[in-house]
Amino acid sequence: MSGPSRPTIYAVAKVAGVSISSVSRALNGNTSNLDMVARVKAAAEQVGYVPSAVAQSLTTQQTGQVAFAMEDIGNAAYLAMVREIQPRLREVGYRLLLHATGADVQDEIEVVESLAQKYVDGLILCPIRVTSRHIAALRDPAVPVVVIGQLPDEVAVDNVRTDSRLGARLAVEHLHAGGARRIAFVNGPADTIPGQARYAGYQDGLRTCGLGLDDTLVEFADFQVGAGRDAAARLLARSDLDAIFGANDLIALGAMHALRSAGRSIPDDVQVVGMDDTTLAETSFPPLTSVSLGSRERGRIAADMLLGRLRAEANVPQRVTVAPSLTVRESTREVTG
Amino acid sequence: MSGPSRPTIYAVAKVAGVSISSVSRALNGNTSNLDMVARVKAAAEQVGYVPSAVAQSLTTQQTGQVAFAMEDIGNAAYLAMVREIQPRLREVGYRLLLHATGADVQDEIEVVESLAQKYVDGLILCPIRVTSRHIAALRDPAVPVVVIGQLPDEVAVDNVRTDSRLGARLAVEHLHAGGARRIAFVNGPADTIPGQARYAGYQDGLRTCGLGLDDTLVEFADFQVGAGRDAAARLLARSDLDAIFGANDLIALGAMHALRSAGRSIPDDVQVVGMDDTTLAETSFPPLTSVSLGSRERGRIAADMLLGRLRAEANVPQRVTVAPSLTVRESTREVTG
DNA sequence: TTGAAAGCGGTACCAC
DNA sequence: GTGGTACCGCTTTCAA
């Protein structure tokens, strides 16, 4: 016995002794007859009527839902975005739908293509990579899309980005200002957009500081603690160094573990800087200096951008860039003067 | 100019030269005429047809969506659940909708009541508290609900829980086995279900270990790092202690910070145990021994339970309890023998 | 097998 | 102001 089907608008109309049109109007505030409104509301209350979201969607052509798609909600940067996005959507009555694509490009593209099913009114997408198929799917999305991340200029889509290359440079310059001269870099995978940008920024920083690039000071790792620790251990084994820049906070945290195991003190012997400025950076010991790429802010902006697009159509694509900034904590030396 | 409205099933029917009934059948595999199927699919492809999820929902009375409601996705325990739930749902074609209630009981109840709108096929709910209004709302939910957490026996709802009281006792016993005799406890807020259960478990542990309850060894804090640190600092200032049990990993992490600031070594001077066994426990220094309450497993079970309910209705409510377990790391002393 | 038509549960236009 | 009705886009029953 499937549950008793909920009362529909017809039940309310019957009890109130009016037409369904009147019920609809009364409940949606499209009538001036207060008496009617009262009668209908009483009837609705009596039968326990709640309008069907699906039926409303079919007629209004709006779902009241927005999707957020990223690689993995476990990633602190995306988590930070969700925490900004969800309340904003909720505030104006939108529900949030979560897509974790698991770094699968195919999945990511399917998400965009599935938009044609119209189960959401809009999408915020964080692509890990941008392929030609992405671009094709993004050419004429069924609903408004906001992309968080780098995007070729020719793609006409709302876009909020950051400059992780500049962020990496800031990290190096900060370490240099703190007295470091042999600044190691534990990068993420070299074949990813973030990996490439951060590596370029690392080199930028060395250059502006008048330091040369020393390949023995560079290592690669997954964006994970364990990998960061191992990579840092390799660096310590082969090179003299007085600072480590980790391509994200997890890597930097791993590096701190390696340093501690090697008996090096932080920041006196070796300074450490991470990237993403996640809560991990605050809670680590010592608290980790980290380059903020404004995840929260990007999430907030993306949400606002999408909501704006949802209420007013047909505008030129927007693009906002959030500047990276340094959050100095105790894993680096104070710069005096 | 609002975007060109997508082609409907009528467009396909027209191109294929058949009725919409046939299109529907062909696309849903409810026909044996292979020729028809081919023709329809070709036509669909040609016009770029994608069925409307909303229209399908209206006729099938199913949305293909499931909601997960918890306090805050930023909480590592809930995060762990989401990461288990989402892939499971996705695998069988369900989309995940996220509700963060922000510890607002009112919001939580509204989530349950909003189920009558039928925008999802089911709900997984993690209540922070269970009020009489919860119980009332849960009495006859519009769609199947699975509750993760404690629930009065009289509430006939699918339920997966853990035994955090037993978990707390395990923590105390482990510390005692490691040689601790003055075991402090930094609890969460006393007026929450988790707070009460853990406090009871703490006392259970003391009892089984033959230790007396000493109020000066008990402090309260939010479930946050900063609060945990401050609470631990208060304890250190007034009491002699050789172990600290934090009611969750964040509190325990805060306690470790306080200990470090006070110059106490971990675990030699003071052992520390946390609870929830989050990734923070793995990445802290030293890695934190923590009581696992099986968040991932509970998430997995809840998802499976809901999916089961979604395919076969009308069964008695299920209840599963996940046993807590201890994950021993380096913040406590090895127990030999 | 295939098509016509009746809903699914609402909204909104259009007469009255 | 109010009710009748077409329609949103699809699934499914029922005849032919």
Side-chain angles (χ1 to χ4, degrees), chain A residues 20-21 26 33-34 42 47 90 92 149 159 187 208 218 257 303 324 329:
Chain A
I20 62 166
S21 316
N33 185 335
L34 296 179
V47 302
R90 179 198 163 78
V92 292
N159 178 218
N187 197 3
T208 63
V218 178
H257 284 207
R329 298 198 182 83

Side-chain angles (χ1 to χ4, degrees), chain A residues 203-289:
Chain A
Q203 295 183 76
D204 290 346
L206 293 179
R207 199 173 308 120
T208 63
C209 294
L211 299 174
L213 175 63
D214 179 349
D215 282 338
T216 68
L217 287 176
V218 178
E219 266 292 344
F220 297 88
D222 282 348
F223 284 114
Q224 302 296 336
V225 175
R229 184 192 53 226
D230 297 345
R234 290 195 294 274
L235 284 172
L236 288 171
R238 73 164 179 247
S239 304
D240 186 37
L241 56 83
D242 53 17
I244 298 180
F245 167 41
N248 75 352
D249 286 348
L250 291 171
I251 288 176
L253 210 58
M256 293 211 288
H257 284 207
L259 288 170
R260 208 136 28 201
S261 298
R264 310 287 193 93
S265 81
I266 304 169
D268 294 334
D269 295 340
V270 179
Q271 301 182 72
V272 180
V273 173
M275 184 168 244
D276 279 348
D277 195 23
T278 61
T279 53
L280 272 179
E282 302 174 40
T283 61
S284 74
F285 187 85
L288 176 67
T289 293

Side-chain angles (χ1 to χ4, degrees), chain B residues 9-72:
Chain B
I9 198 171
Y10 288 92
V12 180
K14 194 170 182 182
V15 170
V18 297
S19 71
I20 61 166
S21 320
S22 295
V23 174
S24 177
R25 279 187 221 108
L27 261 26
N28 294 315
N30 296 322
T31 182
S32 48
N33 186 335
L34 295 180
D35 182 55
M36 161 82 71
V37 173
R39 229 181 28 243
V40 168
K41 285 195 173 168
E45 179 79 16
Q46 183 187 325
V47 302
Y49 170 72
V50 178
S52 155
V54 174
Q56 284 183 319
S57 293
L58 187 59
T59 55
T60 63
Q61 301 285 41
Q62 303 197 85
T63 62
Q65 299 184 159
V66 163
F68 178 57
M70 41 50 266
E71 177 187 342
D72 171 24

Side-chain angles (χ1 to χ4, degrees), chain A residues 81-103:
Chain A
M81 292 180 190
V82 174
R83 296 181 77 185
E84 291 292 315
I85 294 170
Q86 205 263 347
R88 274 196 164 54
L89 295 181
R90 179 198 163 78
E91 196 178 8
V92 292
Y94 280 99
R95 291 185 288 262
L96 176 67
L97 228 131
L98 214 61
H99 282 297
T101 59

Side-chain angles (χ1 to χ4, degrees), chain A residues 182-203:
Chain A
R182 292 193 50 80
I183 302 173
F185 177 38
V186 181
N187 197 3
D191 65 340
T192 60
I193 306 254
Q196 289 163 359
R198 287 158 208 214
Y199 187 53
Y202 168 69
Q203 295 183 76

